[in-house]
Amino acid sequence: MASPVFWSATVLALSAGWASAQALKVEPAQEDPAPAATQPAQQGGIRSANIFEIGPDASTDPKYGEQNNAERGKVQPGNNAPMWRDVGKGVTGTTSLPYLEAGNLIQPVVQYPGSRMTSAGEAWRQVRNNWIIPYGGSLLLIVMVAIALFYFAKGAIDVHGQPTGRVIERFTYLERAAHWLNAIAFVALAISGIIMAFGKFFLLPIMGSTLFGWLTYALKNLHNFAGPLFAVSLVIIIVTFIKDNLPAKGDLTWLLKGGGMLSGQEVPSHRFNAGEKVVFWAGVFLFGLIVVGSGLFLDKLVPAVEYTRGNMQWAHMIHATAAVLMMCLFMGHIYLGTIGMKGAYTAMRTGYVDETWAKEHHQLWYDDIKAGKIPAQRSSGPVNAQDAADATRAVKA
């Protein structure tokens, strides 16, 4: 039991606390009166509104679809359907920006070859995704598979006679320099173009989006810089080799017999056979100039033209189509110039071929050389002994 002193102190403390609470008690304040109703301040004459409450029956107007923004604003403020309808039609608005098409958000409706009647941007997308990519990629694969099957079935075209040790200059230094410059630029353009166009199907799943994005960005810049180099070297190639690629007697016979590649008996030809002339005129001259012209246009390097979206779309479709066809022709040319024909690569590397090689593959050219109509050595200076040895060795391989 607690002492009487404890209980007395407890009662005294409770009494003091109750007295303090009564002294601090405050009456509750009266609620503030509600502010007087006022009209919302208008800024610039703009007032928020619900278009469904202002004009719910606005669409019953017979001319509803023909209203402009000012007329629509009277019954449905904020409804900009007329403006966006014009945007969808390709109507060009007014803008202070200097760009040629700054006032045009959506291109007008067109129909490109292979597309539906739709806006030009969508039509271009349909041509690219429905035609150029699937059929262009398929054509490249078909040509590669056909070359591989031909090689495994027939092997490299060989030289049957024994080398003589005497060589003929097939390509001068200038011709070889122009060829290799053009070949290097072409390979850079072909690889970068194939990866940019088809890489998302076979590289993106392996590399991932980040690395693939960096790769395509780098290849895009390589493509843009290699393009002008290819253009200059292509012109040099055309000027250098056009004389010996003119049609000549015997070309039609060569084409009809396929050069004798299937029969094993080659058809006589001049310095360049009919197959090489087809590659020159179709691949180098026609498709090459089309690719160069459209590529320079896409790089905006052609003066005094309008770089509108429509023109750029046309340039891209032409560029992609011609590039695929040119690559298909050049794949056959690269095959025959490397592993497909013994001695061909050495001829372009050293400039010389053995007389046996010249006689078997280009008999009419060889006959003209032996008759003195064409010099066997067109470059000044003596024949490099190592180059001559390599040419002879290529025939023996």
Side-chain angles (χ1 to χ4, degrees):
M1 290 294 291
S3 65
V5 177
F6 171 79
W7 288 109
S8 298
T10 301
V11 171
L12 180 61
L14 290 174
S15 300
W18 179 80
S20 297
Q22 293 298 318
L24 295 173
K25 188 175 181 180
V26 179
E27 293 295 330
Q30 297 293 328
E31 293 184 0
D32 294 335
T38 58
Q39 294 294 331
Q42 295 188 11
Q43 299 179 359
I46 300 175
R47 183 174 60 185
S48 62
N50 188 331
I51 62 174
F52 296 106
E53 295 177 357
I54 293 177
D57 58 345
S59 60
T60 59
D61 188 333
K63 296 184 178 181
Y64 177 79
E66 302 175 5
Q67 290 175 339
N68 56 36
N69 275 346
E71 295 170 336
R72 183 67 60 84
K74 296 178 181 179
V75 293
Q76 289 184 326
N79 187 338
N80 294 328
M83 182 194 74
W84 291 110
R85 189 160 49 242
D86 288 342
V87 168
K89 293 178 181 178
V91 174
T92 301
T94 302
T95 178
S96 60
L97 298 176
Y99 179 61
L100 184 63
E101 292 183 295
N104 185 274
L105 298 180
I106 298 179
Q107 293 175 266
V109 174
V110 299
Q111 186 175 16
Y112 289 146
S115 77
R116 300 191 303 270
M117 183 70 72
T118 181
S119 64
E122 172 62 18
W124 167 81
R125 191 192 70 84
Q126 291 176 8
V127 174
R128 180 186 183 277
N129 294 348
N130 297 340
W131 294 94
I132 296 176
I133 295 298
Y135 290 100
S138 299
L139 183 60
L140 290 173
L141 288 174
I142 289 172
V143 172
M144 285 191 289
V145 171
I147 291 174
L149 292 176
F150 182 84
Y151 176 75
F152 287 113
K154 302 291 293 185
I157 299 176
D158 207 347
V159 177
H160 301 92
Q162 293 298 317
T164 63
R166 298 183 297 273
V167 295
I168 297 173
E169 186 179 29
R170 181 158 175 78
F171 301 108
T172 65
Y173 177 82
L174 176 62
E175 292 171 342
R176 286 181 286 132
H179 174 272
W180 285 116
L181 183 64
N182 186 257
I184 293 171
F186 169 78
V187 170
L189 291 170
I191 293 176
S192 58
I194 288 174
I195 292 178
M196 287 189 291
F198 308 103
K200 66 179 181 180
F201 302 110
F202 62 92
L203 284 181
L204 180 58
I206 301 173
M207 303 175 65
S209 58
T210 300
L211 185 56
F212 181 72
W214 280 105
L215 175 64
T216 51
Y217 176 78
L219 291 178
K220 187 267 293 184
N221 286 281
L222 173 65
H223 201 90
N224 291 342
F225 281 102
L229 179 63
F230 178 78
V232 173
S233 59
L234 186 78
V235 173
I236 298 175
I237 288 288
I238 292 174
V239 173
T240 302
F241 293 107
I242 191 171
K243 179 181 177 182
D244 289 321
N245 278 284
L246 294 174
K249 183 179 179 180
D251 287 344
L252 182 59
T253 302
W254 193 100
L255 290 174
L256 293 176
K257 294 184 178 182
M261 288 189 293
L262 297 178
S263 63
Q265 184 65 37
E266 288 199 44
V267 180
S269 64
H270 292 276
R271 185 188 179 196
F272 297 120
N273 58 46
E276 293 171 308
K277 292 179 180 181
V278 169
V279 172
F280 177 85
W281 288 108
V284 177
F285 190 84
L286 177 61
F287 295 139
L289 292 181
I290 291 175
V291 167
V292 166
S294 57
L296 294 177
F297 188 93
L298 290 171
D299 279 339
K300 297 184 178 180
L301 296 177
V302 180
V305 295
E306 294 182 346
Y307 293 107
T308 61
R309 284 169 290 178
N311 289 342
M312 297 294 275
Q313 288 159 358
W314 273 109
H316 172 268
M317 291 185 290
I318 294 172
H319 184 79
T321 303
V324 168
L325 296 175
M326 181 178 66
M327 283 190 288
C328 290
L329 284 172
F330 279 10
M331 279 194 291
H333 173 72
I334 293 172
Y335 163 73
L336 290 173
T338 52
I339 63 173
M341 176 180 289
K342 293 183 178 180
Y345 172 75
T346 305
M348 185 54 71
R349 183 174 63 83
T350 66
Y352 294 94
V353 295
D354 190 88
E355 285 188 352
T356 301
W357 189 96
K359 183 177 181 180
E360 290 198 18
H361 296 313
H362 300 274
Q363 183 178 346
L364 299 181
W365 176 59
Y366 172 78
D367 292 342
D368 287 342
I369 292 174
K370 300 304 290 184
K373 298 180 180 179
I374 302 174
Q377 175 74 20
R378 290 179 293 143
S379 298
S380 59
V383 179
N384 185 285
Q386 184 61 48
D387 292 342
D390 289 345
T392 301
R393 191 180 303 108
V395 175
K396 292 181 180 179

